[in-house]
Amino acid sequence: MQFTTLAHLIDEDFLREAFGHIKKKAAAGVDGVTAQEYAEALDANIANLYQRMRSGRYKAPPVRRVWLEKEDGKQRPIGIPALEDKILQRAVTMLLEAIYEQVFYACSHGFRRKKSAHHALREIRENCMNIGIRWILDADIKGYFDSIRRDILREFLRKKMNDGTIIRFIGKWLNAGVMEEGKWTSTETGTPQGGVISPMLSNIFLHYVLDEWFEQEVKPRMKGRCFLIRFADDFVIGFELESDARRVMEVLPKRFNRFGLTIHPTKTKLIEFGRPDRGQTSGKGKGTFDFLGFTHYWARSKRGYWVIKRKTKAAKLRTAMKAMWRWCKHNRHRPIDKQGKKLRQKLHGHYQYFGITGNFKLLDVYLRGTERAWWFWLGRRHQSGQIRWDRFTQHHLVHFPLPRPRLVHNV
């Protein structure tokens, strides 16, 4: 089934609902308009946007580019669209969600309603433990969001949605270019990271490149059992048999090259990850792999069974600790009660994601590192350049306590 008339569904009420779904505290784009300012005359602004959209006078402004630091010290670009772009992109995304949620496979977990990274982690654990998986193909797509070919993306979109107006809107956003330090630059490939519609477009692209191909062509040809778990552009494939794993590993780069994507030659690897032998009474199983910020490994449970455990990836923990150290340094002159409130928020956010069964020790490491960073930089406000540790623990941590580690996601 192909949908050919969708644009008429985007009326003023639909745009108003889309405005309700965008983040109100997000940074402003090149227009400098914030959600709070736009909401002051919301009805008039929405009516104006609707008229420009219907008459074809709507133009997509360039995306403001900022850079975020990655784990390896490099930087990655993030695009911040103008506010009206966000509203219209959210409206189109809502339409596409209604169509593609019926199409996407269960193996896809990224940027989908009622799915999350922890759903993906749970499925990996269950599959590896219950269907005899012994090999993990840990793959990495090189510069995925910047490498999406727009001509192929349009072909994929037209398979289910061939509304010319919606296609033109998407084309305007993709070709709007980026604005950085007052200079406009055009972009030939990719979708701007940070754009409201980018996650949906990236999911559609990989649905046809990877998910559909794996479920319809690869899986039926395998001699043993296998599974695919994908979160946005991160994915792992598990295999029961080594021969199946090596066949897919050989053909995977060719499949991605066909659509203009590149599998990273050094970051993509095949890992032996089977349940340890029954005779092995201690230690850990063979091989580990990293996915969604966690290192996965086999270990004994408290009852003596071999189970898959997860712990915070070492690089993720180092990055989080460095970020906390920098925050304490740059905010050391703020009132202590406000510092304590912000640190509690940061710790709760960390526990919310990394608070998973088996990871308590590294949560505690993060807490202790936060306490040491706060103690060190508060000492720089003191005349002597330091605060005695016992005074810090008996005064600051008593009056402004930091939350203890807690497991949010129980297995």
Side-chain angles (χ1 to χ4, degrees):
M1 182 180 291
Q2 186 185 62
F3 295 85
T4 57
T5 53
L6 290 170
H8 70 281
L9 298 172
I10 303 179
D11 55 16
E12 290 186 31
D13 289 336
F14 201 81
L15 290 173
R16 197 173 289 105
E17 182 182 349
F19 175 78
H21 285 286
I22 67 172
K23 294 180 180 179
K24 303 301 186 293
K25 295 183 179 180
V30 293
D31 58 352
V33 178
T34 64
Q36 290 79 8
E37 295 170 348
Y38 198 84
E40 291 175 0
L42 182 61
D43 291 340
N45 289 329
I46 290 293
N48 180 269
L49 174 61
Y50 176 71
Q51 291 301 323
R52 285 184 284 126
M53 183 197 81
R54 296 295 294 173
S55 63
R57 293 183 291 115
Y58 170 79
K59 292 184 179 180
V63 174
R64 184 166 71 90
R65 173 177 283 176
V66 296
W67 295 85
L68 295 181
E69 186 177 348
K70 296 172 66 175
E71 296 174 13
D72 54 8
K74 298 180 181 179
Q75 292 185 320
R76 65 185 178 99
I78 292 293
I80 304 176
L83 184 68
E84 288 192 333
D85 258 7
K86 293 178 184 179
I87 297 171
L88 195 49
Q89 285 186 29
R90 174 56 63 191
V92 172
T93 300
M94 287 159 61
L95 287 180
L96 295 180
E97 278 180 351
I99 296 171
Y100 283 96
E101 277 300 318
Q102 322 306 319
V103 179
F104 288 154
Y105 288 94
C107 62
S108 172
H109 294 268
F111 308 112
R112 295 180 62 188
R113 293 186 180 181
K114 298 182 180 180
K115 284 183 175 285
S116 68
H118 292 96
H119 286 114
L121 293 167
R122 189 177 301 117
E123 283 201 19
I124 288 177
R125 185 178 188 273
E126 291 176 356
N127 281 319
C128 288
M129 292 182 63
N130 297 332
I131 65 175
I133 295 300
R134 302 196 66 84
W135 296 87
I136 292 290
L137 176 55
D138 183 9
D140 182 87
I141 307 174
K142 193 174 181 180
Y144 171 63
F145 289 94
D146 296 327
S147 304
I148 295 176
R149 282 183 50 182
R150 295 170 183 174
D151 56 335
I152 299 177
L153 176 60
R154 290 188 185 94
E155 290 179 15
F156 287 159
L157 286 168
R158 288 192 175 100
K159 288 186 176 184
K160 293 295 294 182
M161 188 276 300
N162 198 20
D163 184 305
T165 302
I166 301 298
I167 295 291
R168 281 195 297 274
F169 281 147
I170 294 174
K172 287 181 179 181
W173 295 322
L174 293 177
N175 296 313
V178 296
M179 186 71 72
E180 185 177 3
E181 296 181 354
K183 293 180 63 177
W184 178 83
T185 308
S186 64
T187 53
E188 302 297 329
T189 60
T191 61
Q193 292 192 50
V196 176
I197 201 170
S198 293
M200 172 57 69
L201 296 180
S202 66
N203 263 346
I204 292 171
F205 199 85
L206 275 184
H207 166 77
Y208 290 107
V209 173
L210 177 62
D211 303 352
E212 187 177 75
W213 170 71
F214 180 83
E215 294 291 339
Q216 296 187 8
E217 297 185 35
V218 174
K219 212 169 182 179
R221 289 178 170 86
M222 297 291 98
K223 295 180 180 178
R225 290 171 291 186
C226 60
F227 72 87
L228 164 70
I229 297 293
R230 180 174 69 82
F231 189 92
D233 61 326
D234 295 327
F235 67 94
V236 294
I237 309 177
F239 300 90
E240 185 180 9
L241 302 178
E242 182 181 2
S243 57
D244 289 341
R246 296 201 177 278
R247 284 174 61 195
V248 173
M249 189 173 184
E250 182 180 352
V251 75
L252 193 66
K254 300 175 185 177
R255 171 69 183 179
F256 276 70
N257 288 340
R258 179 180 166 188
F259 298 98
L261 300 176
T262 304
I263 295 294
H264 204 293
T266 57
K267 293 184 179 180
T268 300
K269 49 194 174 184
L270 188 61
I271 302 155
E272 186 177 1
F273 192 72
R275 185 191 298 269
D277 298 330
R278 291 183 178 180
Q280 187 174 336
T281 57
S282 62
K284 297 180 179 180
K286 294 181 179 179
T288 64
F289 70 93
D290 298 324
F291 187 63
L292 298 180
F294 290 92
T295 297
H296 302 245
Y297 62 98
W298 284 95
R300 288 280 187 181
S301 69
K302 290 182 178 180
R303 296 185 178 182
Y305 301 111
W306 282 111
V307 296
I308 293 175
K309 294 187 177 183
R310 283 75 56 92
K311 62 182 180 181
T312 308
K313 181 181 173 183
K316 282 282 185 184
L317 184 59
R318 285 196 300 271
T319 301
M321 299 281 279
K322 288 179 181 178
M324 185 64 77
W325 187 268
R326 287 195 300 269
W327 188 92
C328 291
K329 176 182 178 181
H330 295 148
N331 293 272
R332 63 186 184 274
H333 295 299
R334 294 177 64 186
I336 296 179
D337 59 335
K338 293 184 177 179
Q339 288 189 49
K341 180 180 179 181
K342 190 64 177 179
L343 288 175
R344 286 192 291 273
Q345 292 174 352
K346 288 178 174 291
L347 286 167
H348 280 307
H350 188 85
Y351 300 159
Q352 189 67 33
Y353 186 79
F354 290 102
I356 194 168
T357 303
N359 196 34
F360 188 89
K361 288 183 179 179
L362 291 187
L363 295 182
D364 192 60
V365 168
Y366 183 68
L367 170 63
R368 302 306 170 196
T370 300
E371 291 175 346
R372 301 291 293 187
W374 198 22
W375 163 73
F376 179 85
W377 288 110
L378 282 182
R380 288 294 185 263
R381 296 170 30 152
H382 203 267
Q383 285 183 334
S384 63
Q386 63 180 359
I387 299 175
R388 287 174 51 188
W389 177 254
D390 58 349
R391 173 174 168 76
F392 173 74
T393 56
Q394 294 169 13
H395 181 268
H396 294 75
L397 292 185
V398 170
H399 290 86
F400 310 103
L402 298 180
R404 301 295 98 185
R406 62 192 181 94
L407 300 181
V408 180
H409 307 279
N410 201 4
V411 178

